Amino acid sequence: MITSLFILSLGGEVLIERHLRPSSSGRAAADFFWSKCQSSIKGESTVDSSAETYKNIPPILLFSNQYIISVFRSSLIFLCTLKTEHPPLLCIEFLHRLASTFEEYFGKPIDEELVKENFSTIYMLLEEMNDYGNPLTTEPNALQSLITPPTLLSKITQTLTGSASHPQNLDSGTTSNMPWRRSNVSHPTNEIYVDLVEEIDCILTSSGTVISSDINGSIQCVSKLSGVPDLTLTFKDSSVIDDCCFHPCIRYGRYDEEKVISFVPPDGAFELMRYRVKNLSGRFMPPIFCEPKLMFGEGEKEKGRIDIRVGMKEVSSLIFPREKGMMVLEDVVVTVTFPRVVRTANLTATGGSVLYDEAKKVAKWHIPKIDSKKTVQLTGTMAVKGHRPEESPPIQLEWKIPMASISGLAVSGLSVVNEAYKPYKGVRTITKSGKFTVRCG
């Protein structure tokens, strides 16, 4: 299956290199991939050393007689190579699982510095997570029983002795009949938190017309329950759920028959399931509006102007409980990527704070909160060199609304059996932006 694994920095440096099969072509595959990245960077309209720079690189490339599969996470590039045809989504999921495991061990966001500080732990994780190029142990609970997450004390000990620390009782992660849960779990207080998160991917025109939209959801959990609890999660209206993807702990047969989620949870944070919301048949109305106006002027003597109004719509497709008060947009971020013809920009905002990165030609406008009674505005001038661009760059929006739902899906019950205690149960819903783009002009 997988012949080689690489982790690259955004500068092209190979941070981690692991060859899993004798048929590996060595570092040539990583060099080929980086040459593709370099050609993509030259074609970009802006200078931006983020993963967005490489968005034109296909996730699957053909090199010689093998395939290169890539994933961008945080500020790192994860690569794997295959000699024969294999399900590409399996390899992409494995690379994402690698990145998520590193975040569990070393913290978020995972970056070049953290990788260099934890070389030995990363190589041990790679040994446990694959077997001769095939995914093996990928559950965090099982991995933490085999490889101790690094602490300040363990790093000092490793520096002084040169040896990595391991758990004393490895059998707890290997003898359990549920590989996603450790044996003999005990907590002083028993509690479980469930977040129903829905993300909206949308493309809007400057006038607010929806060009395309897609809604995906996930159920994120944090479990701190002792023993071996058996949980049952029920929904008010499960008919909106489509294209489900389940955690291995879920009993699929019962969901298929009764549409309830029955499971024994892993210990700690985990994603219970992912799903897609069924088509809203063109009825989707976003909760936010963005009215951009970009005028680049003619020649270097005439300055360009920018004017962006952002606010919350009074009528949208979101479902919000009235007893919770007023619906509020939180953590709103408006990102404007200027073309290379813009030398500099002078921006001011009536609300929030705006930061312009001269090197990357990117302006980020942060707005803590917006309600239906408030509209904020960003204005400014741009110094332009050369000819004006053929089209204005799109604007990216980020936002979230606590306690709101776009699909109407809600948790109606969460029961815990097989244990004598009564745990604390917290359930909430969140709707937020995914890839939310507004086209200018």
Side-chain angles (χ1 to χ4, degrees), residues 28-41:
D31 294 338
F32 173 79
F33 175 84
W34 185 246
S35 67
K36 289 289 186 181
C37 289
Q38 291 294 98
S39 60
S40 174
I41 293 172

Side-chain angles (χ1 to χ4, degrees), residues 209-362:
T209 304
V210 177
I211 299 174
S212 67
S213 63
D214 193 23
I215 303 167
N216 299 287
S218 65
I219 298 179
Q220 307 290 337
C221 301
V222 177
S223 173
K224 297 179 181 179
L225 301 176
S226 306
V228 187
D230 200 321
L231 278 65
T232 302
L233 185 69
T234 57
F235 302 106
K236 286 184 179 179
D237 183 12
S238 61
S239 62
V240 299
I241 298 177
D242 195 13
D243 294 338
C244 301
C245 177
F246 296 111
H247 189 280
C249 69
I250 293 178
R251 301 179 179 97
Y252 178 73
R254 186 172 178 187
Y255 176 82
D256 197 32
E257 294 178 2
E258 306 175 32
K259 299 302 178 184
V260 299
I261 307 296
S262 176
F263 62 102
V264 175
D267 188 49
F270 65 99
E271 183 178 75
L272 184 63
M273 65 178 288
R274 287 178 294 185
Y275 61 92
R276 175 180 289 181
V277 176
K278 288 185 177 179
N279 191 1
L280 296 177
S281 304
R283 295 181 288 107
F284 171 66
M285 293 183 292
I288 188 173
F289 70 83
C290 178
E291 300 174 353
K293 294 179 182 178
L294 275 72
M295 297 166 285
F296 291 97
E298 297 292 341
E300 297 188 11
K301 294 183 179 180
E302 184 181 355
K303 288 189 175 182
R305 299 193 62 83
I306 180 172
D307 188 340
I308 302 175
R309 292 178 66 252
V310 177
M312 185 174 183
K313 291 184 177 180
E314 294 186 1
V315 179
S316 69
S317 299
L318 268 66
I319 300 172
F320 188 83
R322 292 185 177 180
E323 63 271 14
K324 299 296 183 180
M326 183 183 297
M327 188 164 63
V328 177
L329 284 163
E330 295 184 359
D331 300 332
V332 180
V333 180
V334 182
T335 303
V336 184
T337 305
F338 293 94
R340 286 184 176 180
V341 296
V342 176
R343 288 187 298 180
T344 186
N346 184 18
L347 307 172
T348 57
T350 59
S353 60
V354 59
L355 179 64
Y356 176 68
D357 191 320
E358 192 80 41
K360 297 180 181 180
K361 308 291 185 185
V362 175

